[in-house]
Amino acid sequence: MADLMFPVIDYSRLVSADATIAAGEKDKLFQSFTEVGFIYLKSYVFTDDFMKTIFSHVHKLFDLPEEQKLAIEGGEKSAFRGWFEPVRTASHPESADQKEAFGLGNDADPTRPNHWPEDWPEFRQDCSRFFEECFKMHLEILCALTEKVGLPRETLVPSVQDKDSYTALLYYPETSVESFDRRVRSAPHTDFGTLTLLFNDSVGGLQVRNKQGEWSDAPPIPGHAIVNVADLLSRWFNNRLKSTEHRVVAPTVETRQLADGSVTNVVPARYAIAWFGHPNRDAVIKPLEECIAADYPQQYEAVVAGKHVKERMARLLDEGKLPEKWSDDMHRKAVAA
């Protein structure tokens, strides 16, 4: 299976004060999202030291005793804040994703409080900074894309300014090769909202479905985030920007020698941090008129962003994984945004 090497976008060039440099990077960004839906992003706002620190927090979080994680367990009623382990909550745990997650949102939103571990202020401070800086990068990318269809760069900003976005700290435990006969680390899916910013460790496993419908590896590159288009951004742009299916499977296995001298193969643990951009929960998302033409008719009806995201999160919580394809008729009929 060949690696799928996405185009590399330089964030410092994207936001450059030199209009010519910025324009060239915006062209490359828009083309990448129309063809693949994924990019590698370099020269972003976080230093290497900050990323090392936040990944050390992630390791420490998932190493906590289970009783401490249960104290911050989240669910649908808590707006999916806190710890989440699919095997605990899924209706079919034997086929649920092989992962644990910790969800957090805008820490200034009193209507959806985060579930922070006790006596760990550095964790809260660094995770909150991560959330805010990702939100700013997400705004810059949205503005660049909006400009490319002939609209003022701030057009979509009022629809995302409430910061109804979401950070997921992700842990995929070490496991046996045989466990992948029944479960993957993250089932095939598309993301829910606007843009996803993904920061990986060095362990691979991410795969993206290419134009031919085949799965291709998307290996991590040190110092690069992976950014992809999600469903509601694709809806805004009338499917001109591609929300592409992806999954997490077993990376290259490691051979271990046991105490008795025998040898076994294991799938190493993987850690990642994903920031999921979402519109305001009351935003009505429908294709922009500038993305509709006689030879490219409107492909989507309007949806309320909050309901769309809540329904997809609830499906994940209940089933332990997401469906490969999402359609609007999967919404529960009586759920408020």
Side-chain angles (χ1 to χ4, degrees), residues 13-167:
R13 294 175 63 86
L14 194 70
V15 299
S16 172
D18 186 314
T20 302
I21 291 175
E25 210 67 12
K26 291 172 185 177
D27 288 343
K28 187 177 175 183
L29 172 73
F30 192 84
Q31 182 178 0
S32 301
F33 280 163
T34 59
E35 293 181 354
V36 185
F38 274 77
I39 61 166
Y40 287 107
L41 187 70
K42 70 175 184 178
S43 303
Y44 46 73
V45 299
F46 300 119
T47 65
D48 289 345
D49 284 344
F50 178 78
M51 293 310 301
K52 287 177 183 176
T53 296
I54 200 163
F55 267 98
S56 71
H57 291 333
V58 176
H59 281 249
K60 180 180 176 181
L61 173 73
F62 291 112
D63 280 342
L64 291 174
E66 185 169 277
E67 60 267 23
Q68 293 186 39
K69 290 188 282 190
L70 288 172
I72 52 173
E73 189 170 30
E76 186 173 1
K77 291 183 178 179
S78 65
F80 309 100
R81 303 302 191 253
W83 181 64
F84 166 57
E85 184 182 27
V87 74
R88 281 181 49 78
T89 59
S91 54
H92 300 287
E94 68 280 355
S95 61
D97 288 346
Q98 296 193 65
K99 68 182 179 186
E100 296 179 33
F102 178 84
L104 64 103
N106 174 16
D107 207 30
D109 181 0
T111 70
R112 293 179 170 181
N114 290 315
H115 295 186
W116 299 108
E118 292 185 354
D119 303 321
W120 194 0
E122 300 85 0
F123 178 72
R124 181 172 186 169
Q125 176 181 322
D126 290 337
C127 286
S128 296
R129 177 188 166 192
F130 177 85
F131 179 95
E132 292 294 331
E133 294 297 336
C134 283
F135 179 77
K136 293 174 186 176
M137 288 195 290
H138 149 265
L139 279 187
E140 288 290 347
I141 295 172
L142 283 185
C143 288
L145 296 170
T146 306
E147 287 179 315
K148 293 303 297 178
V149 296
L151 287 167
R153 62 181 273 111
E154 303 290 325
T155 299
L156 297 181
V157 172
S159 297
V160 299
Q161 64 186 359
D162 291 350
K163 300 183 182 178
D164 281 327
S165 298
Y166 189 78
T167 301

Side-chain angles (χ1 to χ4, degrees), residues 272-326:
I273 307 172
W275 188 90
F276 298 104
H278 295 155
N280 305 341
R281 36 191 120 155
D282 61 354
V284 176
I285 311 300
K286 61 181 181 179
L288 298 165
E289 291 184 4
E290 288 74 10
C291 296
I292 302 171
D295 60 347
Y296 201 90
Q298 182 171 332
Q299 299 188 31
Y300 298 104
E301 298 301 322
V303 294
V304 177
K307 179 175 182 177
H308 173 87
V309 172
K310 184 174 182 178
E311 290 290 79
R312 297 209 65 184
M313 288 294 291
R315 184 75 171 260
L316 173 61
L317 189 70
D318 180 56
E319 298 189 7
K321 59 182 178 181
L322 288 166
E324 293 187 34
K325 298 289 187 181
W326 179 267

